[in-house]
Amino acid sequence: MQTFSKRFSVITGFVLLLIALIASALITRRELGVQVRNQYWVTHSRQVLFELAQTESLLKDAEIVQRGFIYTDDPRYLTPYNLVISQIEPHIASLAQLTTDNPRQQARIPVLRNLTDKKLSELAQTISLDQSGKTKEAKELILSDAGLFLMNDIRKLVDEMGQEESS
């Protein structure tokens, strides 16, 4: 009888250890799944923040190059200007793609696109005025602060989008 009791105790102990091992494996698997999903969303948020920063940076670069052109009348400035403005839309398109899961962010994409188009139009207008010999008008447009107000609106929107993505 004592031998049976010992065997039963040993078998019961192994069964309990096996149950504990299986439970631990299931819990570990579940936690790893949660970590993988969390890592995906962290990476996703970082990508959105990167695209926002790149869009803002490219707009600032376009403004800097435009002012360099107006200041110097050196057509060499137009090559980097054209390069910079050609890179802006792909970043906004990437933002639109990355935020398809977020209706609030999606609602902001057309606003960002509209502000960006207005800013690029203002930059192109000053360059066009300068190239057509209307340097004074180009400088007056710059000094009107219309571009400054647009950039401030863009910065504010980018900040709002970044803050929402970070939270």
Side-chain angles (χ1 to χ4, degrees), residues 38-144:
N38 287 344
Q39 184 59 41
Y40 167 79
W41 287 112
V42 166
T43 302
H44 179 269
S45 292
R46 285 183 178 167
Q47 185 64 35
V48 170
L49 293 171
F50 172 77
E51 294 297 339
L52 285 167
Q54 283 298 106
T55 302
E56 183 178 1
S57 178
L58 287 167
L59 285 165
K60 286 188 234 177
D61 290 349
E63 192 171 53
I64 290 167
V65 174
Q66 168 250 15
R67 291 197 177 163
F69 174 74
I70 299 295
Y71 182 73
T72 64
D73 274 332
D74 187 343
R76 290 182 300 167
Y77 278 87
L78 295 179
T79 301
Y81 171 80
N82 291 324
L83 177 65
V84 166
I85 63 169
S86 71
Q87 294 175 358
I88 293 170
E89 178 52 35
H91 287 283
I92 295 174
S94 181
L95 277 168
Q97 169 67 32
L98 287 167
T99 59
T100 55
D101 62 321
N102 188 328
R104 286 186 304 224
Q105 294 286 54
Q106 280 289 294
R108 289 180 173 130
I109 297 295
V111 176
L112 178 62
R113 197 171 260 127
N114 183 39
L115 289 171
T116 299
D117 289 346
K118 285 180 180 178
K119 179 62 184 170
L120 293 177
S121 176
E122 177 261 336
L123 294 173
Q125 185 180 4
T126 57
I127 289 173
S128 177
L129 285 169
D130 189 71
Q131 287 178 320
S132 64
K134 299 177 181 175
T135 304
K136 182 180 178 189
E137 289 90 342
K139 289 179 181 176
E140 285 173 359
L141 181 57
I142 291 171
L143 293 173
S144 75

